[in-house]
Amino acid sequence: MAKKFPPWLKKRVIINENLKKTSTILKGLKLHTVCEEAGCPNVNECFSNLTATFMVLGNVCTRNCRFCGVKKGESLPVDNTEPSRVAEAVKRLNLKYIVITSVTRDDLADGGAGQFAKTIFAIKQKIPDSKVEVLVPDFKGNQESLKTVFLAKPDVFNHNMETIEKFYPKVRPQANYKRSLNVLKFAKEADFITKSGMMLGFGEKKEEVIKVMQDLRNVNCNLLTIGQYLQPNKKCLEVERFVPPEEFAEYQKVGEKLGFASVVSGPFVRSSYQAEEMFSKSKKV
Ligand code: SF4
């Protein structure tokens, strides 16, 4: 088990007016972010840049991924005012590129797809030239739910593979590797820019990581993020290995050779890290 934090996992804490402004706006509008709920190491940096990844459908998940710090249990009722509150926050933060994600709501017939669609519509209505990326759960592979999200025309469709196939039972027991690939394939067939993400540090080998990258390119996935898994709390899996920055750099090169329009790979990289930059690179797809 990897215990001691290596030198490259030191993060400068930024505290500035923007950080306070972002937190105040989010609190004032009673909004959740995955940044705070999952304990993202970049939260200070992103909030200080007046950006955040909104988490809709409450902050309690119906699944129990062993790497995730989000609360698990009885989910909250769907709040119909949430889409307009997110759009209001986007306006106040003057965001042009917005990422929306959610907990997984296996308790809802549409898995929460309707709330994603309403939130995209509310943002695009309020800020017509905005770009919206959705980081979605797998909706149990339900194509009607996926079509509901497609109808709202997100600019980037993101769904994480998270780890290698053989670790799914240990790391994300309610997910399915092939199902997640098919979700991305279905979005690509609907002509969306697609994106996915992985975390390393569970003991995966290089060739296994590259296999996931190849599987993603086989479904024409355009964008990829690769980051270091960090244990959010004692209930979650321990880190098996801290992957050195040089290895992340290698994966970036391999990914570009495989044909991804953009790969962002590094210890602190998370699904929506540098999302706007990646989107601009995706335009050449
Ligand atoms: S589906 Fe898994 S990763 Fe996503 S919020 Fe729920 S527990 Fe966390």
Side-chain angles (χ1 to χ4, degrees):
M1 291 301 171
K3 290 279 180 260
K4 197 165 166 304
F5 257 44
W8 61 80
L9 279 178
K10 297 241 174 343
K11 189 122 187 136
R12 205 164 54 82
V13 176
I14 309 164
I15 305 251
N16 61 19
E17 280 314 304
N18 285 348
L19 176 81
K20 290 190 199 115
K21 178 179 175 187
T22 305
S23 304
T24 309
I25 289 171
L26 293 168
K27 279 199 182 57
L29 290 164
K30 296 189 177 56
L31 291 169
H32 301 294
T33 64
V34 73
C35 325
E36 296 155 302
E37 300 295 330
C40 177
N42 305 317
V43 63
N44 271 45
E45 179 187 340
C46 295
F47 280 25
S48 301
N49 296 327
L50 291 174
T51 187
T53 297
F54 299 96
M55 191 157 95
V56 296
L57 296 157
N59 63 345
V60 183
C61 188
T62 55
R63 292 193 183 174
N64 185 20
C65 303
R66 301 297 319 298
F67 64 86
C68 178
V70 169
K71 287 191 206 69
K72 287 38 178 219
E74 184 93 16
S75 284
L76 303 170
V78 176
D79 179 335
N80 295 330
T81 68
E82 192 176 51
S84 59
R85 287 186 282 117
V86 171
E88 179 56 28
V90 168
K91 187 145 185 90
R92 293 188 198 172
L93 290 167
N94 194 24
L95 287 175
K96 287 287 176 279
Y97 192 88
I98 301 101
V99 185
I100 308 166
T101 190
S102 81
V103 292
T104 295
R105 294 295 302 261
D106 290 333
D107 59 315
L108 300 173
D110 72 348
Q115 190 79 337
F116 270 101
K118 287 180 193 145
T119 306
I120 299 166
F121 283 129
I123 292 169
K124 296 244 177 195
Q125 206 164 34
K126 204 158 197 136
I127 306 106
D129 62 346
S130 61
K131 299 294 178 203
V132 179
E133 172 178 323
V134 288
L135 172 53
V136 297
D138 63 19
F139 298 116
K140 289 189 175 170
N142 180 319
Q143 294 195 346
E144 290 316 307
S145 300
L146 289 164
K147 285 181 193 162
T148 301
V149 177
F150 296 169
L151 280 175
K153 297 206 172 347
D155 298 279
V156 173
F157 182 95
N158 188 351
H159 175 65
N160 283 337
M161 299 303 293
E162 304 292 10
T163 185
I164 61 173
E165 184 165 13
K166 80 176 185 197
F167 285 167
Y168 266 52
K170 173 177 87 172
V171 174
R172 49 184 337 214
Q174 291 114 330
N176 174 290
Y177 186 86
K178 297 229 171 11
R179 181 169 69 197
S180 282
L181 277 178
N182 284 335
V183 164
L184 288 160
K185 185 167 179 280
F186 192 58
K188 195 70 222 172
E189 285 160 1
D191 210 22
F192 286 94
I193 293 168
T194 54
K195 179 176 176 179
S196 191
M198 294 179 72
M199 296 168 296
L200 309 182
F202 300 109
E204 60 291 313
K205 299 193 187 69
K206 269 192 192 165
E207 58 274 16
E208 294 171 321
V209 176
I210 294 169
K211 168 81 172 50
V212 179
M213 296 165 80
Q214 283 159 338
D215 287 347
L216 285 168
R217 284 304 297 148
N218 291 344
V219 294
N220 296 314
C221 183
N222 306 111
L223 309 172
L224 178 65
T225 58
I226 308 175
Q228 167 73 51
Y229 166 61
L230 296 173
Q231 187 186 31
N233 60 53
K234 288 275 171 263
K235 280 186 274 167
C236 291
L237 290 169
E238 287 200 6
V239 176
E240 280 289 328
R241 179 172 166 255
F242 291 115
V243 179
E246 313 74 63
E247 200 173 316
F248 281 108
E250 264 180 64
Y251 291 128
Q252 184 142 349
K253 287 204 190 76
V254 170
E256 282 151 9
K257 271 210 197 87
L258 287 171
F260 287 99
S262 177
V263 178
V264 175
S265 176
F268 285 117
V269 170
R270 295 294 179 269
S271 309
S272 42
Y273 194 61
Q274 296 180 359
E276 187 166 4
E277 293 81 351
M278 292 186 85
F279 172 68
S280 53
K281 286 193 184 148
S282 74
K283 292 207 190 122
K284 59 179 194 262
V285 170

